[in-house]
Amino acid sequence: MIEIGAQVDLSHPPDRVWLALTDRELLGRWFAEAETVAGVPDRLVLHTAGLPGFDADVEVEVTERQVPELLAMRCDEAGRLTEVTCAVTATKQGSRLEVREVTTHGAWSAEQHDPREQQLRQALTVRLPAILDWLAFQQVDLRRGEAGMTTELPTIGALGAGPARARRRRRAVVAVLAGAVLVAGLAAWVALPGEPDSAAAPPPPTSSPSPSSSTGAAVASTGTPKATPSARPSRTGASASPRPSRTPSGKPSSNPASVPPPPPPLTANYRTDSSRLFGYTGEVVVGNPGGAPAADWVVVVTLAEGSSVDDVDGADWRQDGRAITFTGAAVPAGGSRTVRFDVRDSRPKAREPEGCTVGGNPCAGL
């Protein structure tokens, strides 16, 4: 028994992935053109002759169908028999599609196996995501409503991630308004005139009697006024008196034994979880190698020119040009936090981020 398999994470709900698997027109756009067999239900012919790893067209019979989770098929390619299963699992970001093909009679040659598996992987990771993005765009209602244009485009049907994204947008607007109110209140408080402090110390007494008496003594003894030299030492002595008390108080702080060592810095590791046409899914894992919980963390990812973040899970975020700033709660000792984000790229071949830092230190993986 020889097996070929591939798996891909998609930022689309299972219902849309199922449609791409079972609709003949969509299937022909990302894998191979399909033709039904007249008079025979659940039978069709895939025109795969000429594709890498295929010798002829494949006759397909659907043996099991569980919408939208499982599609099982029995295939016949010029006498070589195989069984193909397509399993769709819902995830936080959308869904995961796993395709497996197992031989039941006959086998692929060494020249067929690798090109056939590569053809399947390319179809799942490049062409299928592009078709799903196109299909999602077709399901957007672009008509102008009676209330005029809105900042959000309403969608037709239940798209799993839509309500959650709308709630995140509303929370972001509320946070911005609350921040504006706080800044305005702080500015008004700073602008208020200060009230006199009743507990403030009274002004020091004038030193006029002391210079006059010393001046008189100097005149009586020498006959010449020399009040200025006699007054200066008194000021010098008064100003120098606090200095000895400050010097001893700073010595204990310079003792290395009394200062605890700084905790080890947080670590972060970046990886591209899945790539697709016009985008990819990135993942950053923030780790705390120390023995105590770490404070709130900040990760900054610098995208390539023409890229933008579409959805984020696991952190609060904001985008300023190409810099995406992710923030999150404290990381427990020895624990980690995972951030996943979808990126849309203006070029067909997605480009990975140009930089990643956590607390100003570079992330691993880039």
Side-chain angles (χ1 to χ4, degrees):
M1 180 180 67
I2 303 176
E3 178 178 334
I4 287 179
Q7 177 180 295
V8 62
D9 288 327
L10 303 165
S11 58
H12 295 273
D15 290 341
R16 189 176 298 147
V17 177
W18 179 265
L19 183 61
L21 290 173
T22 56
D23 185 273
R24 288 192 302 110
E25 181 179 355
L26 295 176
L27 185 62
R29 290 174 178 264
W30 69 270
F31 184 66
E33 294 184 1
E35 180 182 356
T36 59
V37 177
V40 182
D42 288 335
R43 292 287 297 272
L44 57 111
V45 176
L46 293 178
H47 295 287
T48 54
L51 292 179
F54 291 86
D55 290 337
D57 293 343
V58 178
E59 297 182 8
V60 177
E61 178 184 4
V62 177
T63 58
E64 186 176 359
R65 187 195 308 264
Q66 298 179 14
V67 182
E69 300 173 351
L70 179 65
L71 181 66
M73 298 166 285
R74 185 181 297 114
C75 303
D76 184 349
E77 180 189 356
R80 184 188 299 111
L81 305 181
T82 62
E83 292 182 354
V84 177
T85 57
C86 303
V88 183
T89 306
T91 63
K92 291 182 179 180
Q93 288 73 34
S95 57
R96 176 173 297 163
L97 173 61
E98 182 179 3
V99 179
R100 296 174 61 249
E101 183 176 16
V102 180
T103 58
T104 58
H105 179 74
W108 298 294
S109 64
E111 293 77 14
Q112 286 179 308
H113 183 275
D114 291 344
R116 191 184 188 99
E117 188 169 31
Q118 184 178 2
Q119 171 72 14
L120 177 61
R121 291 182 182 276
Q122 185 178 15
L124 292 180
T125 59
V126 178
R127 294 192 294 272
L128 176 59
I131 290 300
L132 292 173
D133 289 344
W134 173 84
L135 182 59
F137 179 77
Q138 299 302 312
Q139 294 177 322
V140 174
D141 186 0
L142 298 177
R143 295 170 298 179
R144 183 190 298 270
E146 296 180 358
M149 297 295 286
T150 61
T151 57
E152 295 186 19
L153 295 177
T155 56
I156 301 175
L159 304 182
R165 293 181 182 176
R167 287 195 296 270
R168 283 195 293 271
R169 291 190 183 98
R170 289 195 291 269
R171 287 198 297 268
V173 172
V174 172
V176 170
L177 292 177
V181 172
L182 179 60
V183 171
L186 180 60
W189 178 80
V190 172
L192 289 177
E195 297 182 358
D197 189 0
S198 59
T206 60
S207 58
S208 58
S210 177
S212 63
S213 59
S214 59
T215 303
V219 172
S221 59
T222 62
T224 58
K226 295 183 180 179
T228 302
S230 62
R232 286 176 180 172
S234 64
R235 293 194 196 103
T236 304
S239 61
S241 59
R243 292 180 182 174
S245 61
R246 286 198 298 267
T247 303
S249 62
K251 289 182 178 179
S253 62
S254 62
N255 185 5
S258 63
V259 179
L266 294 176
T267 62
N269 185 73
Y270 170 84
R271 74 183 184 97
T272 299
D273 187 56
S274 63
S275 299
R276 58 184 180 275
L277 193 64
F278 296 108
Y280 60 91
T281 299
E283 179 182 274
V284 177
V285 179
V286 180
N288 177 15
D296 297 351
W297 47 269
V298 177
V299 170
V300 179
V301 175
T302 303
L303 301 178
E305 187 70 30
S307 300
S308 62
V309 169
D310 182 45
D311 192 17
V312 176
D313 182 51
D316 297 326
W317 66 283
R318 69 178 186 274
Q319 181 167 357
D320 183 11
R322 293 189 297 148
I324 314 297
T325 302
F326 303 98
T327 57
V331 183
S336 63
R337 303 285 188 193
T338 301
V339 183
R340 291 174 61 87
F341 53 96
D342 291 334
V343 176
R344 291 189 178 273
D345 200 310
S346 59
R347 299 184 182 181
K349 185 177 181 181
R351 298 158 294 172
E352 290 190 344
E354 296 181 355
C356 174
T357 61
V358 54
N361 299 319
C363 306
L366 277 178

